[in-house]
Amino acid sequence: MLIADNLYKSFVKNEERGKKTRFNAVNGIDIAVDEGEIVGVLGPNGAGKTTLLRMLGGLMKPTSGSVVISKDGRELTSLEERKKHIGYLSGNTRLYGRLSVRELLTVIGELYELPKSLIEKRIGRISRLLSMESFIDNRIERLSTGQTQRASISRCLIHDPDIYIFDEPTLGLDILSSQAIVDFMKNERDAGKTVLYSTHYLEEAEFLCDRVFLIDKGSIVSAGSVEELLALHGADSLREVFRKLMEAA
């Protein structure tokens, strides 16, 4: 479904006396993600998680390496075609505050050239999936933080993508809002969709993820199922695995 081969992303950093140095935010990462699984990308601040996800989602061009996305055995070659199969949630997405959630989803559905009847059907399903029935017709600028985050995720669903790429989808949310998003990701995985997401909540990842990639300084330092990582590092929890890796770095 999604394969990243030897991905690099380099940036130029300005230092003292006008000196410029080049550094790799992502440093030769390989990832393969299949249909029907939830894959977590974990790491400390500045590890390269967001840069990696942006390249996988087609929002940023790699310095080198490639991202291959396929559907029914056919590689999707054009960026426009790929984006029709991806729902991407950024940590700094801004919504149109004067629109209601329903109006926002309708506009986005029209941008994807979906029939009106299909848009209405999908809005109903999305509203139920994310428990938005009580505020679907409220203006976005009047929503709580958790409601706004669910509205932000909902815009990624209207075109019914095969792949979800979420950057910190539950960050700073209350328990009910977080649970709604976690339940959504589980349901979509069970429906055969692919979910790739980053999080700082290690207990959430331990409960939710089929596989985990731990990255630091732009490189994968460990990867596997939660059970495999615990056994490999002699740990009782993913948090302990993370601590051991960071202490050894």
Side-chain angles (χ1 to χ4, degrees):
M1 174 61 77
L2 186 153
I3 299 173
D5 181 27
N6 204 27
L7 277 188
Y8 282 85
K9 185 61 183 181
S10 300
F11 294 99
V12 174
K13 178 170 60 175
N14 291 318
E15 297 185 349
E16 294 181 1
R17 300 178 182 178
K19 182 180 178 181
K20 295 183 178 181
T21 59
R22 182 173 291 274
F23 72 100
N24 291 331
V26 171
N27 193 30
I29 283 183
D30 298 317
I31 283 181
V33 186
D34 295 323
E35 296 178 1
E37 69 172 344
I38 299 175
V39 173
V41 178
L42 313 181
N45 290 333
K49 301 185 299 297
T50 294
T51 301
L52 173 62
L53 294 182
R54 289 177 66 84
M55 288 192 290
L56 296 178
L59 277 69
M60 182 181 287
K61 186 177 180 180
T63 302
S64 63
S66 64
V67 177
V68 174
I69 297 174
S70 59
K71 172 69 174 175
D72 298 328
R74 181 179 65 88
E75 182 180 344
L76 308 180
T77 55
S78 74
L79 183 59
E80 181 179 0
E81 188 177 23
R82 288 183 179 197
K83 287 186 175 181
K84 290 181 180 179
H85 292 271
I86 295 174
Y88 188 95
L89 176 73
S90 171
N92 58 3
T93 300
R94 296 292 181 268
L95 303 179
Y96 299 98
R98 295 183 66 83
L99 296 180
S100 70
V101 181
R102 188 186 302 278
E103 289 169 339
L104 174 69
L105 294 178
T106 299
V107 169
I108 294 175
E110 290 171 347
L111 291 174
Y112 279 103
E113 300 180 339
L114 301 177
K116 182 178 180 181
S117 60
L118 182 57
I119 292 173
E120 292 174 353
K121 181 179 179 180
R122 287 187 178 173
I123 289 175
R125 176 178 178 270
I126 291 167
S127 180
R128 292 189 296 273
L129 275 175
L130 294 175
S131 301
M132 299 195 305
E133 295 96 330
S134 64
F135 61 87
I136 187 75
D137 292 305
N138 292 359
R139 280 165 57 164
I140 292 169
E141 63 189 5
R142 297 174 180 170
L143 302 182
S144 69
T145 300
Q147 290 171 341
T148 301
Q149 183 70 330
R150 278 183 272 173
S152 188
I153 289 177
S154 72
R155 68 173 177 79
C156 305
L157 315 186
I158 193 67
H159 59 299
D160 194 26
D162 301 299
I163 302 171
Y164 298 103
I165 300 177
F166 292 159
D167 193 0
E168 299 281 0
T170 59
L171 181 64
L173 301 186
D174 59 69
I175 293 174
L176 292 178
S177 294
S178 294
Q179 191 60 50
I181 293 170
V182 166
D183 288 344
F184 160 76
M185 289 193 283
K186 288 171 58 182
N187 290 335
E188 292 301 278
R189 184 265 313 276
D190 294 343
K193 301 296 183 73
T194 300
V195 181
L196 182 65
Y197 88 115
S198 72
T199 182
H200 282 99
Y201 299 138
L202 299 184
E203 290 78 11
E204 175 187 284
E206 187 169 340
F207 162 75
L208 191 58
C209 292
D210 299 295
R211 289 189 296 133
V212 169
F213 290 89
L214 289 157
I215 70 173
D216 187 34
K217 300 181 179 67
S219 299
I220 295 174
V221 293
S222 198
S225 69
V226 173
E227 293 78 10
E228 289 170 341
L229 290 172
L230 297 184
L232 178 64
H233 297 281
D236 295 323
S237 68
L238 202 52
R239 182 172 294 279
E240 187 179 354
V241 172
F242 186 81
R243 179 182 59 79
K244 287 185 175 185
L245 286 169
M246 294 305 101
E247 289 176 351

